[in-house]
Coordinates of all heavy atoms in Angstrom, one line a residue:
M846 N 4.3 22.3 -30.1 CA 4.7 22.1 -31.5 C 3.5 21.3 -32.2 O 3.0 20.4 -31.6 CB 5.9 21.2 -31.6 CG 7.2 22.1 -31.3 SD 8.0 22.6 -32.8 CE 9.6 23.1 -32.2
D847 N 3.2 21.7 -33.3 CA 2.1 21.2 -34.1 C 2.6 20.5 -35.3 O 1.9 20.5 -36.3 CB 1.1 22.3 -34.5 CG -0.3 22.0 -34.0 OD1 -0.4 20.9 -33.4 OD2 -1.2 22.8 -34.0
N848 N 3.7 19.9 -35.2 CA 4.4 19.3 -36.4 C 4.0 17.9 -36.5 O 4.5 17.0 -35.7 CB 5.9 19.5 -36.3 CG 6.6 19.0 -37.6 OD1 5.9 18.8 -38.5 ND2 7.8 18.9 -37.6
N849 N 3.1 17.5 -37.4 CA 2.7 16.1 -37.5 C 3.6 15.4 -38.6 O 3.5 15.6 -39.7 CB 1.3 16.0 -38.0 CG 0.3 16.2 -36.9 OD1 0.7 16.0 -35.6 ND2 -0.9 16.5 -37.1
D850 N 4.5 14.6 -38.1 CA 5.4 13.9 -39.0 C 4.9 12.5 -39.2 O 4.5 11.8 -38.3 CB 6.8 13.8 -38.3 CG 7.9 13.3 -39.3 OD1 7.5 12.8 -40.3 OD2 9.0 13.5 -39.0
L851 N 4.8 12.1 -40.4 CA 4.3 10.8 -40.9 C 5.1 9.7 -40.3 O 4.6 8.5 -40.1 CB 4.3 10.7 -42.4 CG 3.1 11.5 -43.1 CD1 3.2 11.3 -44.6 CD2 1.8 11.2 -42.6
S852 N 6.4 9.9 -40.1 CA 7.2 8.8 -39.6 C 6.9 8.6 -38.1 O 7.3 7.5 -37.6 CB 8.7 9.2 -39.8 OG 9.0 10.3 -39.0
F853 N 6.2 9.5 -37.5 CA 5.9 9.2 -36.0 C 4.6 9.8 -35.8 O 4.4 10.9 -35.5 CB 7.0 9.9 -35.1 CG 6.6 9.7 -33.7 CD1 6.9 8.5 -33.0 CD2 6.1 10.7 -32.9 CE1 6.6 8.3 -31.7 CE2 5.8 10.6 -31.6 CZ 6.0 9.3 -31.0
H854 N 3.6 8.9 -36.0 CA 2.2 9.4 -35.8 C 1.5 8.8 -34.6 O 0.3 8.6 -34.5 CB 1.4 9.0 -37.1 CG 1.5 7.6 -37.6 ND1 0.7 6.7 -37.3 CD2 2.5 7.0 -38.3 CE1 1.1 5.5 -37.8 NE2 2.2 5.7 -38.4
G855 N 2.3 8.5 -33.6 CA 1.8 8.1 -32.4 C 1.7 9.2 -31.4 O 2.4 10.2 -31.5
K856 N 0.7 9.2 -30.5 CA 0.5 10.3 -29.6 C 0.4 9.7 -28.2 O -0.4 8.8 -27.9 CB -0.9 10.9 -29.9 CG -1.2 12.1 -28.9 CD -2.5 12.7 -29.2 CE -2.9 13.8 -28.2 NZ -4.2 14.4 -28.5
V857 N 1.3 10.2 -27.4 CA 1.4 9.6 -25.9 C 0.1 10.1 -25.2 O -0.1 11.3 -25.0 CB 2.6 10.1 -25.3 CG1 2.7 9.6 -23.8 CG2 3.8 9.5 -26.0
L858 N -0.7 9.2 -24.7 CA -1.8 9.5 -24.0 C -1.5 9.5 -22.5 O -2.1 10.4 -21.7 CB -3.0 8.4 -24.2 CG -3.5 8.3 -25.6 CD1 -4.5 7.2 -25.6 CD2 -4.1 9.7 -26.0
Y859 N -0.7 8.7 -22.0 CA -0.4 8.6 -20.6 C 0.9 8.0 -20.3 O 1.3 7.0 -20.9 CB -1.5 7.8 -19.9 CG -1.3 7.4 -18.5 CD1 -1.6 8.3 -17.5 CD2 -0.8 6.2 -18.1 CE1 -1.3 8.0 -16.1 CE2 -0.5 5.9 -16.8 CZ -0.8 6.8 -15.8 OH -0.6 6.5 -14.5
T860 N 1.6 8.6 -19.4 CA 2.8 7.9 -18.8 C 2.8 8.0 -17.3 O 2.3 9.0 -16.8 CB 4.1 8.6 -19.3 OG1 4.1 9.9 -18.9 CG2 4.2 8.5 -20.8
G861 N 3.3 7.0 -16.7 CA 3.2 7.1 -15.2 C 4.0 5.9 -14.6 O 4.4 4.9 -15.3
I862 N 4.1 6.0 -13.3 CA 4.7 4.9 -12.6 C 3.6 4.2 -11.7 O 2.9 4.9 -11.0 CB 5.8 5.4 -11.6 CG1 6.8 6.2 -12.4 CG2 6.6 4.2 -10.9 CD1 7.6 5.5 -13.4
E863 N 3.5 2.9 -11.9 CA 2.5 2.2 -11.1 C 3.2 0.9 -10.5 O 4.3 0.6 -10.7 CB 1.3 1.7 -12.1 CG 0.7 2.9 -12.7 CD -0.5 2.5 -13.5 OE1 -0.8 1.3 -13.6 OE2 -1.2 3.3 -14.1
K864 N 2.3 0.3 -9.7 CA 2.8 -0.9 -9.0 C 2.9 -2.0 -9.9 O 2.1 -2.3 -10.8 CB 1.9 -1.2 -7.8 CG 2.3 -2.3 -7.0 CD 1.5 -2.5 -5.7 CE 1.8 -1.4 -4.7 NZ 1.2 -1.6 -3.4
C865 N 3.9 -2.9 -9.7 CA 4.1 -4.1 -10.5 C 3.5 -5.3 -9.9 O 4.0 -5.9 -9.0 CB 5.6 -4.3 -10.7 SG 6.1 -5.8 -11.5
P866 N 2.2 -5.5 -10.2 CA 1.5 -6.5 -9.5 C 1.9 -7.9 -9.7 O 1.8 -8.7 -8.8 CB 0.0 -6.2 -9.9 CG 0.1 -5.5 -11.1 CD 1.5 -4.9 -11.3
P867 N 2.2 -8.3 -11.0 CA 2.5 -9.8 -11.2 C 3.7 -10.4 -10.6 O 3.8 -11.5 -10.4 CB 2.4 -9.9 -12.7 CG 2.8 -8.6 -13.2 CD 2.5 -7.5 -12.2
V868 N 4.7 -9.5 -10.4 CA 6.0 -10.0 -10.0 C 6.5 -9.6 -8.7 O 6.5 -10.3 -7.7 CB 7.0 -9.8 -11.1 CG1 8.4 -10.5 -10.8 CG2 6.5 -10.3 -12.4
C869 N 7.0 -8.3 -8.7 CA 7.7 -7.8 -7.5 C 6.8 -6.9 -6.6 O 7.2 -6.8 -5.4 CB 8.9 -7.2 -7.9 SG 8.7 -5.5 -8.7
G870 N 5.7 -6.3 -7.1 CA 4.8 -5.5 -6.3 C 5.5 -4.2 -5.9 O 4.9 -3.5 -5.0
R871 N 6.6 -3.8 -6.5 CA 7.1 -2.5 -6.1 C 6.6 -1.4 -7.1 O 6.1 -1.7 -8.2 CB 8.7 -2.6 -6.2 CG 9.3 -3.5 -5.2 CD 10.7 -3.6 -5.3 NE 11.3 -4.5 -4.4 CZ 11.8 -4.2 -3.2 NH1 11.8 -2.9 -2.9 NH2 12.2 -5.1 -2.4
D872 N 6.7 -0.2 -6.6 CA 6.3 0.9 -7.5 C 7.3 1.3 -8.5 O 7.9 2.5 -8.5 CB 5.9 2.1 -6.6 CG 4.7 1.9 -5.7 OD1 3.8 1.2 -6.2 OD2 4.7 2.3 -4.6
S873 N 7.6 0.4 -9.4 CA 8.7 0.8 -10.3 C 8.2 0.3 -11.7 O 9.1 0.0 -12.6 CB 10.0 0.0 -10.0 OG 9.7 -1.3 -9.8
L874 N 6.9 0.2 -12.0 CA 6.4 -0.2 -13.3 C 6.1 1.0 -14.1 O 5.2 1.8 -13.8 CB 5.2 -1.1 -13.1 CG 4.6 -1.7 -14.4 CD1 5.5 -2.9 -14.8 CD2 3.2 -2.2 -14.2
H875 N 6.9 1.2 -15.2 CA 6.6 2.3 -16.0 C 5.5 2.0 -17.0 O 5.6 1.0 -17.7 CB 7.9 2.6 -16.9 CG 9.0 3.2 -16.0 ND1 9.4 4.5 -16.1 CD2 9.7 2.6 -15.0 CE1 10.4 4.7 -15.2 NE2 10.6 3.6 -14.6
V876 N 4.5 2.8 -17.1 CA 3.3 2.5 -17.9 C 3.3 3.6 -18.9 O 3.3 4.9 -18.6 CB 2.0 2.5 -17.0 CG1 0.8 2.4 -18.0 CG2 2.1 1.4 -16.0
I877 N 3.1 3.2 -20.2 CA 3.0 4.1 -21.3 C 1.8 3.7 -22.2 O 1.7 2.6 -22.5 CB 4.3 4.2 -22.1 CG1 5.5 4.5 -21.3 CG2 4.2 5.2 -23.3 CD1 6.8 4.5 -22.1
E878 N 1.0 4.7 -22.5 CA -0.1 4.4 -23.4 C 0.1 5.4 -24.6 O 0.1 6.6 -24.5 CB -1.5 4.7 -22.8 CG -1.7 3.7 -21.6 CD -3.1 4.0 -20.9 OE1 -3.9 4.8 -21.5 OE2 -3.3 3.5 -19.9
I879 N 0.1 4.8 -25.8 CA 0.4 5.6 -27.0 C -0.8 5.3 -28.0 O -1.2 4.1 -28.2 CB 1.7 5.2 -27.6 CG1 2.8 5.5 -26.7 CG2 1.9 6.1 -28.9 CD1 4.1 5.0 -27.2
L880 N -1.4 6.3 -28.5 CA -2.5 6.3 -29.4 C -1.9 6.3 -30.9 O -1.2 7.3 -31.2 CB -3.5 7.4 -29.2 CG -4.6 7.5 -30.3 CD1 -5.5 6.2 -30.2 CD2 -5.4 8.7 -30.2
Y881 N -2.1 5.3 -31.6 CA -1.7 5.3 -33.0 C -2.9 5.4 -34.0 O -3.9 4.8 -33.7 CB -0.9 4.0 -33.3 CG 0.5 4.0 -32.8 CD1 0.8 3.2 -31.6 CD2 1.5 4.6 -33.4 CE1 2.1 3.2 -31.1 CE2 2.8 4.6 -32.9 CZ 3.0 3.9 -31.8 OH 4.3 3.8 -31.3
N882 N -2.7 6.1 -35.0 CA -3.7 6.1 -36.1 C -3.1 5.4 -37.3 O -2.3 6.0 -38.1 CB -4.1 7.5 -36.4 CG -5.3 7.5 -37.4 OD1 -5.1 7.5 -38.6 ND2 -6.5 7.4 -36.8
D883 N -3.4 4.1 -37.5 CA -2.9 3.3 -38.6 C -3.9 3.4 -39.7 O -5.1 3.1 -39.5 CB -2.7 1.9 -38.1 CG -1.9 1.1 -39.1 OD1 -2.5 0.7 -40.1 OD2 -0.7 0.9 -38.9
P884 N -3.4 3.6 -40.9 CA -4.3 3.7 -42.1 C -4.9 2.4 -42.4 O -6.0 2.4 -43.0 CB -3.4 4.2 -43.2 CG -2.0 3.9 -42.7 CD -2.0 4.0 -41.3
A885 N -4.3 1.3 -42.0 CA -4.9 0.0 -42.3 C -5.8 -0.5 -41.2 O -6.8 -1.1 -41.4 CB -3.8 -1.0 -42.6
F886 N -5.4 -0.3 -39.9 CA -6.2 -0.8 -38.8 C -7.0 0.2 -38.0 O -7.7 -0.1 -37.1 CB -5.2 -1.5 -37.8 CG -4.5 -2.6 -38.4 CD1 -3.2 -2.5 -38.9 CD2 -5.1 -3.9 -38.6 CE1 -2.5 -3.6 -39.4 CE2 -4.5 -5.0 -39.2 CZ -3.1 -4.8 -39.6
G887 N -6.8 1.5 -38.5 CA -7.5 2.5 -37.7 C -6.8 2.9 -36.4 O -5.6 2.7 -36.3
D888 N -7.7 3.4 -35.5 CA -7.1 3.9 -34.2 C -6.8 2.6 -33.4 O -7.5 1.7 -33.2 CB -8.0 4.8 -33.4 CG -8.1 6.1 -34.2 OD1 -7.2 6.5 -34.9 OD2 -9.2 6.7 -34.0
L889 N -5.6 2.7 -32.8 CA -5.2 1.6 -31.8 C -4.4 2.1 -30.7 O -3.8 3.2 -30.8 CB -4.5 0.4 -32.4 CG -3.2 0.7 -33.2 CD1 -2.0 0.6 -32.3 CD2 -3.1 -0.2 -34.4
I890 N -4.5 1.6 -29.5 CA -3.8 2.0 -28.3 C -2.8 1.0 -28.0 O -3.1 -0.2 -27.8 CB -4.7 2.3 -27.2 CG1 -5.6 3.5 -27.5 CG2 -3.9 2.7 -26.0 CD1 -6.6 3.9 -26.4
L891 N -1.5 1.4 -27.8 CA -0.5 0.5 -27.4 C -0.2 0.8 -25.9 O 0.1 1.9 -25.5 CB 0.8 0.8 -28.2 CG 2.0 0.0 -27.9 CD1 1.8 -1.5 -28.4 CD2 3.3 0.6 -28.5
Y892 N -0.4 -0.3 -25.1 CA 0.0 -0.2 -23.7 C 1.3 -0.9 -23.5 O 1.5 -2.1 -23.8 CB -1.1 -1.0 -22.9 CG -2.5 -0.4 -23.0 CD1 -3.4 -0.8 -23.9 CD2 -2.8 0.6 -22.1 CE1 -4.7 -0.3 -24.0 CE2 -4.1 1.2 -22.1 CZ -5.0 0.7 -23.1 OH -6.3 1.2 -23.2
S893 N 2.2 -0.2 -22.9 CA 3.5 -0.8 -22.7 C 3.9 -0.6 -21.2 O 3.8 0.4 -20.7 CB 4.6 0.0 -23.6 OG 5.9 -0.5 -23.2
N894 N 4.1 -1.8 -20.6 CA 4.5 -1.8 -19.1 C 5.9 -2.4 -19.0 O 6.2 -3.4 -19.6 CB 3.5 -2.7 -18.3 CG 2.1 -2.2 -18.4 OD1 1.9 -0.9 -18.7 ND2 1.1 -2.9 -18.1
Q895 N 6.7 -1.7 -18.2 CA 8.0 -2.3 -18.0 C 8.4 -1.9 -16.6 O 8.3 -0.7 -16.1 CB 9.0 -1.7 -19.0 CG 10.4 -2.2 -18.8 CD 11.4 -2.0 -19.9 OE1 11.0 -1.4 -20.9 NE2 12.6 -2.5 -19.8
C896 N 8.9 -3.0 -15.9 CA 9.3 -2.7 -14.5 C 10.8 -2.6 -14.4 O 11.6 -3.5 -14.8 CB 8.8 -3.9 -13.6 SG 9.3 -3.8 -11.9
D897 N 11.3 -1.5 -13.8 CA 12.7 -1.4 -13.6 C 13.3 -2.3 -12.7 O 14.5 -2.6 -12.7 CB 13.0 0.1 -13.2 CG 13.1 1.1 -14.3 OD1 13.1 0.6 -15.5 OD2 13.1 2.3 -14.2
Y898 N 12.6 -2.7 -11.7 CA 13.1 -3.5 -10.6 C 13.3 -4.9 -11.0 O 14.4 -5.5 -10.7 CB 12.1 -3.4 -9.4 CG 12.7 -4.1 -8.1 CD1 13.6 -3.4 -7.4 CD2 12.3 -5.3 -7.8 CE1 14.2 -3.9 -6.2 CE2 12.9 -5.9 -6.6 CZ 13.8 -5.2 -5.9 OH 14.4 -5.8 -4.8
C899 N 12.3 -5.6 -11.6 CA 12.4 -7.0 -11.8 C 12.5 -7.4 -13.3 O 12.7 -8.5 -13.6 CB 11.1 -7.7 -11.2 SG 9.6 -7.4 -12.1
G900 N 12.4 -6.3 -14.1 CA 12.5 -6.6 -15.5 C 11.2 -7.1 -16.2 O 11.3 -7.4 -17.4
Y901 N 10.1 -7.2 -15.5 CA 8.8 -7.5 -16.0 C 8.5 -6.6 -17.2 O 8.6 -5.4 -17.2 CB 7.7 -7.5 -15.0 CG 6.4 -7.7 -15.6 CD1 5.9 -8.9 -15.9 CD2 5.6 -6.6 -15.7 CE1 4.6 -9.1 -16.3 CE2 4.3 -6.7 -16.2 CZ 3.8 -8.0 -16.5 OH 2.5 -8.1 -17.0
R902 N 8.0 -7.3 -18.3 CA 7.6 -6.4 -19.4 C 6.3 -7.0 -20.1 O 6.2 -8.2 -20.2 CB 8.7 -6.4 -20.5 CG 9.2 -5.1 -20.8 CD 10.4 -5.0 -21.7 NE 10.4 -6.1 -22.7 CZ 11.1 -6.0 -23.8 NH1 12.0 -5.0 -24.0 NH2 11.1 -6.9 -24.7
R903 N 5.5 -6.1 -20.5 CA 4.2 -6.5 -21.2 C 3.8 -5.5 -22.1 O 3.8 -4.3 -21.8 CB 3.2 -6.8 -20.1 CG 1.9 -7.3 -20.7 CD 0.7 -7.3 -19.7 NE -0.5 -7.8 -20.4 CZ -1.2 -8.9 -20.1 NH1 -0.7 -9.7 -19.2 NH2 -2.3 -9.2 -20.8
V904 N 3.3 -5.9 -23.3 CA 2.8 -4.9 -24.2 C 1.4 -5.5 -24.7 O 1.2 -6.6 -25.0 CB 3.7 -4.8 -25.5 CG1 3.1 -3.9 -26.5 CG2 5.1 -4.2 -25.1
D905 N 0.5 -4.6 -24.7 CA -0.9 -4.9 -25.2 C -1.3 -3.9 -26.2 O -1.0 -2.8 -26.2 CB -1.9 -4.9 -23.9 CG -1.9 -6.1 -23.1 OD1 -1.7 -7.2 -23.7 OD2 -2.1 -6.0 -21.9
I906 N -2.1 -4.4 -27.1 CA -2.6 -3.5 -28.2 C -4.1 -3.7 -28.1 O -4.7 -4.8 -28.2 CB -2.1 -3.9 -29.6 CG1 -0.5 -3.7 -29.6 CG2 -2.7 -3.1 -30.7 CD1 0.1 -4.1 -30.9
H907 N -4.8 -2.5 -28.1 CA -6.3 -2.5 -28.1 C -6.7 -1.7 -29.4 O -6.3 -0.6 -29.6 CB -6.9 -1.8 -26.9 CG -6.8 -2.6 -25.7 ND1 -7.7 -2.6 -24.8 CD2 -5.8 -3.5 -25.2 CE1 -7.4 -3.5 -23.7 NE2 -6.2 -4.0 -24.0
Y908 N -7.5 -2.4 -30.2 CA -8.0 -1.8 -31.4 C -9.3 -1.1 -31.1 O -10.2 -1.6 -30.6 CB -8.2 -2.8 -32.5 CG -6.9 -3.5 -33.0 CD1 -6.5 -4.6 -32.5 CD2 -6.1 -2.8 -34.0 CE1 -5.3 -5.2 -32.9 CE2 -4.9 -3.4 -34.4 CZ -4.5 -4.6 -33.8 OH -3.4 -5.1 -34.3
L909 N -9.3 0.2 -31.5 CA -10.5 1.0 -31.2 C -11.6 0.9 -32.3 O -12.8 0.9 -32.0 CB -10.1 2.5 -31.1 CG -9.2 2.7 -29.9 CD1 -8.9 4.2 -29.9 CD2 -9.6 2.2 -28.6
N910 N -11.1 0.7 -33.5 CA -12.1 0.5 -34.6 C -12.2 -1.0 -35.0 O -11.3 -1.6 -35.4 CB -11.6 1.2 -35.8 CG -11.6 2.7 -35.6 OD1 -12.2 3.2 -34.7 ND2 -10.8 3.5 -36.4
S911 N -13.4 -1.5 -34.8 CA -13.6 -3.0 -35.0 C -14.3 -3.2 -36.3 O -15.2 -4.1 -36.4 CB -14.3 -3.6 -33.9 OG -15.6 -2.9 -33.7
R912 N -14.0 -2.4 -37.3 CA -14.7 -2.5 -38.6 C -13.8 -3.3 -39.6 O -14.1 -3.3 -40.8 CB -15.0 -1.1 -39.2 CG -13.8 -0.3 -39.3 CD -13.9 0.7 -40.4 NE -15.1 1.6 -40.2 CZ -15.3 2.6 -41.1 NH1 -14.6 2.8 -42.1 NH2 -16.3 3.4 -40.9
G913 N -12.8 -3.9 -39.2 CA -11.9 -4.6 -40.0 C -12.6 -5.7 -40.7 O -13.3 -6.5 -40.2
G914 N -12.3 -5.9 -42.0 CA -12.9 -7.0 -42.8 C -11.9 -7.9 -43.3 O -12.0 -8.5 -44.4
L915 N -10.9 -8.2 -42.4 CA -9.8 -9.1 -42.9 C -10.3 -10.5 -43.1 O -9.9 -11.3 -43.9 CB -8.7 -9.1 -41.8 CG -8.0 -7.7 -41.7 CD1 -6.9 -7.8 -40.6 CD2 -7.3 -7.4 -43.1
S916 N -11.3 -11.0 -42.2 CA -11.7 -12.4 -42.4 C -13.0 -12.5 -43.0 O -13.8 -13.3 -42.8 CB -11.8 -13.0 -40.9 OG -12.7 -12.2 -40.1
G917 N -13.3 -11.5 -43.9 CA -14.5 -11.6 -44.7 C -15.7 -11.0 -44.0 O -16.8 -11.3 -44.3
Ligands
LIG1048 ZN1 8.4 -5.7 -11.0

C-alpha cells in the first residue's frame, strides 16, 4: 500500500527479538525502530525496547538532522 496518511507518518525500519542484556538476559526483548519525519525536528528514529519476560522497557530517540536552531 502506498497510502501516506498524515496522522501516521512513521515508518517501521526494523522489528525483532533480541536478548535482554540489562536485566534478565533472555531472548524476549522486542526491538522496534521507527523512522519519523517531523516537520519541526526533521528525521528522527525512535528505538523502543520491551522485554516480555521481566518487563524491562526503554525508549531512545535519535535525531538525524542536527540543524536545529532552538538554542540560537
Ligand atoms: Zn528482560
